[in-house]
Amino acid sequence: MKNELLRIGPFTVYGYGLMIAIGILAAYFTGEYRAKKRKLPYEHVFYLVVWCVVGGFLGAKILYWITEWKSILENPGFLSATLTDGFVVFGGIVGGIFTAYVYCRVKKLNFLKFFDTLMPSVALAQGFGRIGCLLAGCCYGKETSGAFSITFHTSAFAPNGVALVPTQIYSSILDFLHYGLLLLILRSQKKDGETAAAYLIFYSAGRFVLEFFRGDLARGSVGVLSTSQFISVFTFLAGIVLLIQRKHALERV
């Protein structure tokens, strides 16, 4: 894969950055469209997306630094050297959700309604983001002798010239399927929060399984689990708790 897609004078268009930008725009337009259909104050979607992107990137960066605490202790300059690379998706998810919650509290908006409305768009954005990972060669899979594999030749992240499990492709496909599934759930849900709970449950379960095929193990671990698998357990349980709480709320109505 090739991350440098286009050069215009001193400017370079990178595939990873382009896909992230496309994902954010897709999240914004689809989120605003659904907010209008659900008769929510859609004018807040733009600001929610902007603030969630800021909170998401900050959360993803902080969690990455947490996983690299040994490197930071050995060399504090590691912090400044990794300002523009090295992110953990789960940190972005948690940071984005927390930022959305704070925004809704400040603006006196119904958080759960916006949570449900925007989470399918988050899955959509992640699908495009994983295409960016494929172009850059990050988040790569383990070495494989299987028929379905991918080999990088100019990646700055993945080992070049080695057949690898195409985890980025699997992740992207699952994210797009996740987007469609969440839309179906949103249309038929009976209580606010059910779609958001489904996002947490499905994404956590999928990510937990995919981690077994990842080859970039330098991302850190907690015991026998990778950092992302460890966090997946708690986000999965959070989704289950939210779903049960919403079901009980429905029964009390």
Side-chain angles (χ1 to χ4, degrees):
M1 294 292 106
K2 184 178 175 62
N3 193 31
E4 293 186 10
L5 299 181
L6 179 66
R7 286 193 177 184
I8 305 174
F11 300 101
T12 302
V13 177
Y14 292 96
Y16 183 82
L18 178 62
M19 288 299 108
I20 292 294
I22 290 174
I24 293 171
L25 289 174
Y28 165 61
F29 286 117
T30 57
E32 186 180 65
Y33 171 75
R34 277 193 307 281
K36 289 180 179 179
K37 285 193 67 175
R38 303 190 74 208
K39 307 206 181 304
L40 296 176
Y42 65 87
E43 62 274 7
H44 287 281
V45 172
F46 174 79
Y47 301 102
L48 272 167
V49 169
V50 171
W51 280 110
C52 286
V53 167
V54 173
F57 272 107
L58 184 59
K61 183 80 268 179
I62 290 173
L63 186 55
Y64 172 73
W65 280 335
I66 290 174
T67 63
E68 294 290 340
W69 64 272
K70 291 182 180 179
S71 299
I72 295 172
L73 288 179
E74 293 173 0
N75 175 28
F78 181 84
L79 291 170
S80 58
T82 56
L83 278 173
T84 58
D85 59 12
F87 298 93
V88 178
V89 171
F90 263 117
I93 293 172
V94 174
I97 292 174
F98 177 74
T99 303
Y101 175 76
V102 172
Y103 181 91
C104 288
R105 286 295 299 270
V106 171
K107 296 296 182 179
K108 296 179 171 55
L109 302 173
N110 187 313
F111 170 68
L112 282 180
K113 286 188 180 295
F114 275 97
F115 199 10
D116 286 330
T117 301
L118 297 181
M119 289 317 288
S121 296
V122 172
L124 179 64
Q126 288 176 309
F128 286 109
R130 288 306 183 189
I131 295 175
C133 293
L134 178 67
L135 294 173
C138 61
C139 307
Y140 55 88
K142 294 180 177 179
E143 292 187 26
T144 181
S145 58
F148 191 40
S149 64
I150 188 168
T151 302
F152 294 92
H153 299 286
T154 59
S155 173
F157 302 99
N160 294 300
V162 179
L164 305 172
V165 176
T167 48
Q168 306 96 328
I169 296 176
Y170 293 149
S171 296
S172 183
I173 292 173
L174 286 175
D175 285 329
F176 289 134
L177 290 175
H178 195 191
Y179 171 66
L181 178 60
L182 291 175
L183 288 182
L184 292 176
I185 294 172
L186 182 62
R187 290 170 188 164
S188 60
Q189 74 173 20
K190 295 180 174 60
K191 198 69 177 177
D192 293 337
E194 291 179 354
T195 301
Y199 171 89
L200 293 173
I201 292 169
F202 294 139
Y203 180 78
S204 300
R207 183 61 186 271
F208 189 94
V209 173
L210 279 172
E211 283 290 301
F212 287 113
F213 300 94
R214 289 278 289 266
D216 50 338
L217 298 180
R219 294 169 297 116
S221 62
V222 180
V224 297
L225 301 177
S226 71
T227 302
S228 292
Q229 284 178 319
F230 181 74
I231 298 173
S232 290
V233 172
F234 293 97
T235 52
F236 180 87
L237 292 175
I240 293 293
V241 170
L242 178 58
L243 186 61
I244 292 173
Q245 191 273 333
R246 292 288 83 201
K247 293 295 184 184
H248 286 170
L250 179 62
E251 292 172 359
R252 290 194 298 266
V253 175

